[in-house]
Amino acid sequence: MYETIDEKPEATILLRPPGSTRPADARPRAGASTAWFVTSTFVLMAIAPSIDAQSLAPETGELWSKNTPGISDDGLPGDELGTAVVACDFDFDGYEDLAIGSPGDDFLTVLDDSGAVNVLYGSPSGLGAAGNQHLFQNGDSAPEADDRYGSALAAGYFDSDFYCDLAVGVPGEDLDGDEDVGAFEIHYGGPSGLATASTTFYQQAIPNHGSSPEPFDLFGATLVAGNFNGDFWTDLAVAAPLENWNTTTNSGHVIVYHGGAAGLSAHSGWSQARVDLQDGEEPGDEFGDALAAGDFDGDGFDDLAVGVPGEEVDGTVAVGAVQVIVGSATGLTGDFDLFYSQHTPGIFTNPETGDRWGSALAAGNFDGDDYVDLAVGTPNESVGTELDAGAVGILYGSALGPLPGSYESFTESELALPGDSEAGDQWGFSLATGDIDGDGFDELLVGAPYEDYSFINAGSFSVLYGTAVGVSEQRYQRVVQWFTGVEANEQADYFGFALTLGDFDGNGQDEVAVGAPGEDIDCTTGCVGSAEDAGVVIVMGNGALFGDGFETGDVSAWSTSVP
């Protein structure tokens, strides 16, 4: 739900980015194709010995802001760049690109918090300023104050071409005089990148459980892309977590759009009011506050995991829950939905009032088997006497879907990360998955934007590495801005607020993009002194020159013959 990025009276509001940032899609990723390089021995020796190519190397960090040379925008106070991030190949050149939401951006400096998205394009050398874009509502709906376009992002192949498309949440959109009804925009990809003109989608009444727009629904606050019917196109799930279903306040609602030759079209609506789903709608459930998509049961169709962090279970208020709606040849079906909470047998955790289990979700394959696994964030979990320290758990996939008996829970203290679990860290506020070291096992990134590291709410994120037996307690990292060498820790930076991974240089290994929407930068145009809360994104990789296994010590990739 809502989170503030500062305790100052003039603080603006940020909306939680989607829990899952890597779109699931039936098509192979173009950026994963093999590339051949000819080099010489002295170039291979140029790798700095301080970089462990098997792990994320923060010292490779590159800082991106609206003041970065070549960026077609100016950083201004309250832009909040880095509130949401997503990676995909928008121009189909084999390198993934990065879209960055800045919902506090003021259109033409006069429409407060109308919002914008900056797009950086990948290349053999990674992300660059060449061809970068500054997108805003420019089509069916014009920018308006407080729209907060860019609060959430998702990407996928929604139409018939080979270019990835961008979905942008606009949860503050007003409609017919009703405030904060919400909407989302689609910018379709093409050979020159994303189209500047956008197509607007509003919440709508549809025969199978759609919902009409109402004030303060916040439709578009959460988005995730997946392929729920196994066809050639990506589908999109869009949540209105504060939807009032009939007279049930803030129970929440999700509409699923199917991709097709001509783009997206509304297919089905989902809430706990449906008779074919377990449980029932209750005030404050916030069904859809987090979303993730993945094939948890290995049947070839993506399933939709829905966070319900306000759920009351067995008398425990706002303990939280996760509902998994399974995919099929006709799309999502409620016939075999799965319902999980900390009260579910096999999930051995301590349910407490206000835990809000399911506030963040991410899907990834941490053990390399045939099933996608589900990571669940509980940023309000107390660890000992440390309130809201945060925790993350993993439900491993199986032919029956995510298995409660497989649940593993982690806290910073259990991992012995420097600093341990502290009150207010909210470790697990944001999650993302991807393969940093190219070993075939996804890593889990865990954001703690309210972590105190020399400064209050400086922020951090952790990396938990995947192995053949899943996420390992023996291999993890915690990263703060200082470790990158490109930016220092400061108060209220909120580093780790949003996370994503993408192969921006096409070497087969993912780089990490981390948003710090509270970062202050120097004013250049339109303001004087410091642009408070302008925001930045830091991108880093593992430091390897190639994705061929040489640097990782994978001898199977070595050869005695000269190519």
Side-chain angles (χ1 to χ4, degrees):
M1 253 305 300
Y2 285 110
E3 298 288 342
T4 58
I5 68 165
D6 210 330
E7 285 116 9
K8 295 180 292 185
E10 68 272 23
T12 52
I13 290 176
L14 292 179
L15 288 158
R16 184 189 317 282
S20 178
T21 53
R22 165 60 59 80
D25 191 80
R27 290 178 239 191
R29 288 167 46 209
S33 59
T34 302
W36 293 94
F37 296 87
V38 178
T39 187
S40 58
T41 303
F42 80 88
V43 173
L44 293 175
M45 296 299 291
I47 302 174
S50 62
I51 293 176
D52 177 3
Q54 290 182 293
S55 300
L56 185 68
E59 59 266 41
T60 65
E62 297 180 346
L63 181 74
W64 293 94
S65 77
K66 295 190 179 186
N67 286 354
T68 300
I71 297 300
S72 55
D73 195 11
D74 293 315
L76 295 172
D79 279 348
E80 300 163 18
L81 182 79
T83 297
V85 285
V86 73
C88 207
D89 189 358
F90 303 122
D91 55 2
F92 194 57
D93 64 353
Y95 307 99
E96 289 194 293
D97 314 307
L98 179 65
I100 309 169
S102 55
D105 190 282
D106 302 341
F107 181 69
L108 298 179
T109 71
V110 294
L111 296 178
D112 291 347
D113 298 338
S114 56
V117 172
N118 288 83
V119 185
L120 304 174
Y121 285 87
S123 73
S125 57
L127 295 174
N132 77 94
Q133 294 177 286
H134 178 223
L135 302 177
F136 48 88
Q137 287 180 283
N138 185 21
D140 301 335
S141 179
E144 300 164 318
D146 300 318
D147 277 351
R148 296 194 65 78
Y149 164 96
S151 294
L153 301 172
Y157 297 86
F158 303 129
D159 61 5
S160 60
D161 59 27
F162 289 92
Y163 304 100
C164 193
D165 312 309
L166 179 67
V168 183
V170 197
E173 177 79 22
D174 298 343
L175 180 64
D176 296 332
D178 290 333
E179 188 175 355
D180 296 344
V181 171
F184 71 93
E185 304 278 328
I186 296 294
H187 293 266
Y188 288 100
S192 300
L194 292 168
T196 56
S198 57
T199 302
T200 306
F201 291 78
Y202 296 97
Q203 192 172 188
Q204 60 193 106
I206 50 181
N208 44 352
H209 211 74
S211 178
S212 300
E214 300 165 324
F216 308 108
D217 280 349
L218 300 185
F219 182 64
T222 318
L223 311 170
V224 74
N227 195 335
F228 305 122
N229 58 357
D231 63 9
F232 191 68
W233 300 285
T234 309
D235 310 315
L236 182 70
V238 184
L242 297 191
E243 167 75 28
N244 299 339
W245 190 259
N246 294 325
T247 59
T248 309
T249 305
N250 298 346
S251 57
H253 186 260
V254 175
I255 292 182
V256 173
Y257 296 79
H258 278 190
L264 293 171
S265 59
H267 177 265
S268 55
W270 299 88
S271 80
Q272 290 183 310
R274 286 182 59 133
V275 296
D276 55 351
L277 291 186
Q278 298 181 57
D279 203 58
E281 85 281 9
E282 299 162 323
D285 277 350
E286 299 171 26
F287 180 86
D289 190 60
L291 299 170
D295 187 4
F296 305 121
D297 54 11
D299 64 356
F301 308 106
D302 279 346
D303 313 305
L304 178 66
V306 182
V308 197
E311 181 75 39
E312 178 180 337
V313 183
D314 293 344
T316 309
V317 177
V319 68
V322 175
Q323 199 138 13
V324 175
I325 307 169
V326 300
S328 72
T330 57
L332 295 177
T333 173
D335 294 340
F336 306 101
D337 75 299
L338 303 166
F339 186 84
Y340 306 88
S341 77
Q342 292 182 93
H343 289 268
T344 299
I347 298 179
F348 298 108
T349 57
N350 182 27
E352 299 164 319
T353 297
D355 276 351
R356 294 182 62 82
W357 192 77
S359 292
L361 300 172
N365 196 334
F366 306 121
D367 54 6
D369 62 9
D370 295 329
Y371 310 102
V372 175
D373 313 310
L374 178 64
V376 183
T378 317
N380 295 104
E381 177 76 33
S382 297
V383 180
T385 60
E386 305 295 328
L387 301 178
D388 299 335
V392 173
I394 298 174
L395 290 160
Y396 286 90
S398 74
L400 301 176
L403 284 178
S406 72
Y407 189 75
E408 292 184 274
S409 181
F410 303 91
T411 67
E412 288 185 281
S413 292
E414 290 168 340
L415 293 170
L417 290 167
D420 295 332
S421 299
E422 299 167 324
D425 281 351
Q426 295 198 37
W427 195 73
F429 176 89
S430 55
L431 302 173
T433 64
D435 189 0
I436 294 170
D437 52 14
D439 64 355
F441 307 111
D442 279 341
E443 278 69 65
L444 174 63
L445 271 62
V446 182
Y450 299 96
E451 174 89 32
D452 298 343
Y453 198 90
S454 299
F455 296 94
I456 296 172
N457 296 340
S460 72
F461 75 94
S462 304
V463 185
L464 283 65
Y465 286 83
T467 71
V469 293
V471 167
S472 171
E473 296 184 12
Q474 308 302 316
R475 190 173 173 216
Y476 52 82
Q477 293 173 273
R478 187 173 74 159
V479 179
V480 299
Q481 289 190 88
W482 268 340
F483 298 171
T484 67
V486 296
E487 183 57 58
N489 290 8
E490 297 163 325
Q491 183 168 322
D493 281 346
Y494 306 104
F495 181 69
F497 190 92
L499 304 164
T500 196
L501 296 97
D503 187 5
F504 305 125
D505 56 9
N507 72 346
Q509 300 169 11
D510 284 334
E511 289 77 54
V512 174
V514 187
E519 180 72 40
D520 302 341
I521 64 176
D522 293 334
C523 280
T524 56
T525 303
C527 61
V528 178
S530 178
E532 295 185 2
D533 301 336
V536 301
V537 169
I538 298 179
V539 178
M540 62 198 82
N542 67 12
L545 288 180
F546 307 111
D548 60 3
F550 183 87
E551 295 88 353
T552 66
D554 178 7
V555 296
S556 66
W558 298 4
S559 172
T560 57
S561 62
V562 177

